[in-house]
Amino acid sequence: MMMKHKRIAALLLALTAAFCLTGAANAADESPVVWEGTLTEILEDGFVMQEADGREILFNVDEQTALDGFETLEDLDVGMYVIVESDGRLTKSIPPQAHADRVTCYWLAGQVESVDEEENTFLMQTELGEVIVHQGDLTTPVYAGMTVTVYFDGVMAMSLPGQIAARKIVAPELQGTVLEMTETGFVLRTDDEMEYDVTLTDETVFGVLLSADEGTENEAEEGAVEDKGEEKASAEDEAENEPAETADEQEDSAESATRPAMGDRVTVYFSGEYTDEDGHELTALEVLTEKTGE
């Protein structure tokens, strides 16, 4: 309990200090260059950060570096999201290196209480109480009952409840291959050779992740169709004589196209809770299946 109280007190203090730090930064003669991304490696005197476009930068941290939202590099871990201020100078090494003048890392973890799709926000219960999270352009699936971690810039609107703008959302997910289909769903084998019994329900959402080769293969298919104009026209004439699909049949066909099959590569989003004591059974909230267009 003592550690939890210290964590809350430190976070509140850091949030208050963020406003002062923002004002000081605005008063500076030269605006710093801001980088942000996900940590891929923690070093003794710095870290490697990956930007959204995949580029990695090694940032050096020393006694001149200001740390916001955390106390030491030991508080950071791979996968966390940071905002870095620097003078913008990069070395020509691989990866390029820069000195971190300020590193910001704020996060809140908690359970999602409700999702407002129209406002593109969700309400979550955290150690600071209820907080409204604005998702912005982020596409991470979020559902009520899901436990998530939200990274933000340290600024919280002092409304009731407080409001923050998410820079990154981490939701419980598993990636792997469908080993076999079952009566209630499928067995998922992850890259680390763990197996999970995934249950599908009427509420499970299905989607498709297109592979990098999808566009090329589609272009090839379009070219083949153009070369067979007469055959295509003939097929269309035959289709006109076929009975039209009902709305229910079209819906079933669309859903069938997105449902996973044995051997498919999938990403499964779930609440973060397992339905068995061993942690190998779960209920899928959303399943995204990688399609290669083959």
Side-chain angles (χ1 to χ4, degrees):
M1 287 297 291
M2 183 64 70
M3 290 298 294
K4 183 177 181 180
H5 290 316
K6 287 184 177 180
R7 157 72 175 156
I8 296 176
L11 184 54
L12 286 172
L13 181 60
L15 288 171
T16 302
F19 292 100
C20 299
L21 293 170
T22 301
N26 292 335
D29 294 333
E30 297 183 2
S31 299
V33 175
V34 179
W35 319 81
E36 54 185 287
T38 302
L39 298 177
T40 59
E41 185 178 0
I42 309 298
L43 307 173
E44 184 177 350
D45 53 358
F47 53 82
V48 178
M49 184 201 77
Q50 185 178 62
E51 296 181 287
D53 61 3
R55 182 178 68 162
E56 290 189 333
I57 302 175
L58 192 162
F59 285 101
N60 298 304
V61 175
D62 56 27
E63 64 276 2
Q64 302 299 320
T65 305
L67 306 180
D68 297 340
F70 63 103
E71 296 181 357
T72 69
L73 288 177
E74 295 180 353
D75 297 326
L76 300 180
D77 203 353
V78 171
M80 287 184 166
Y81 195 85
V82 296
I83 302 171
V84 183
E85 295 181 12
S86 174
D87 60 10
R89 291 180 296 179
L90 293 173
T91 67
K92 295 183 179 180
S93 58
I94 300 178
Q97 299 184 38
H99 177 267
D101 297 333
R102 183 181 304 282
V103 182
T104 299
C105 184
Y106 290 94
W107 71 93
L108 285 174
Q111 188 174 64
V112 177
E113 295 186 346
S114 61
V115 178
D116 188 331
E117 294 183 358
E118 292 186 0
E119 296 294 330
N120 197 26
T121 63
F122 60 89
L123 179 68
M124 64 182 294
Q125 183 64 241
T126 74
E127 56 189 359
L128 298 180
E130 290 185 332
V131 174
I132 295 175
V133 179
H134 294 261
Q135 293 181 258
D137 296 331
L138 300 179
T139 58
T140 304
V142 176
Y143 295 90
M146 177 182 279
T147 299
V148 299
T149 299
V150 179
Y151 291 89
F152 63 111
D153 60 5
V155 177
M156 179 182 292
M158 304 312 290
S159 55
L160 289 177
Q163 302 183 52
I164 60 175
R167 306 297 269 265
K168 180 181 180 180
I169 300 173
V170 180
E173 66 174 88
L174 292 172
Q175 294 182 330
T177 304
V178 177
L179 187 61
E180 63 176 292
M181 304 304 295
T182 65
E183 293 183 357
T184 58
F186 59 86
V187 176
L188 174 71
R189 174 177 288 173
T190 60
D191 296 335
D192 57 1
E193 300 299 322
M194 297 293 292
E195 294 184 7
Y196 297 87
D197 190 353
V198 179
T199 299
L200 304 176
T201 70
D202 293 337
E203 303 299 323
T204 302
V205 176
F206 298 94
V208 173
L209 286 174
L210 298 180
S211 69
D213 297 333
E214 181 75 7
T216 302
E217 292 178 356
N218 282 345
E219 291 175 0
E221 292 176 359
E222 290 174 1
V225 170
E226 291 176 358
D227 292 339
K228 299 180 180 180
E230 294 181 359
E231 294 181 11
K232 178 180 178 181
S234 176
E236 290 177 346
D237 291 339
E238 293 179 2
E240 289 180 357
N241 298 325
E242 294 292 330
E245 288 186 341
T246 65
D248 289 341
E249 289 175 337
Q250 291 177 350
E251 183 177 346
D252 291 341
S253 177
E255 182 176 316
S256 177
T258 60
R259 279 181 171 269
M262 189 171 67
D264 282 345
R265 176 82 179 176
V266 297
T267 299
V268 178
Y269 291 93
F270 64 110
S271 68
E273 297 182 355
Y274 297 90
T275 57
D276 68 324
E277 295 181 356
D278 297 330
H280 291 288
E281 297 179 7
L282 57 98
T283 299
L285 296 173
E286 182 168 335
V287 178
L288 300 179
T289 304
E290 293 186 15
K291 297 295 184 179
T292 62
E294 295 180 354

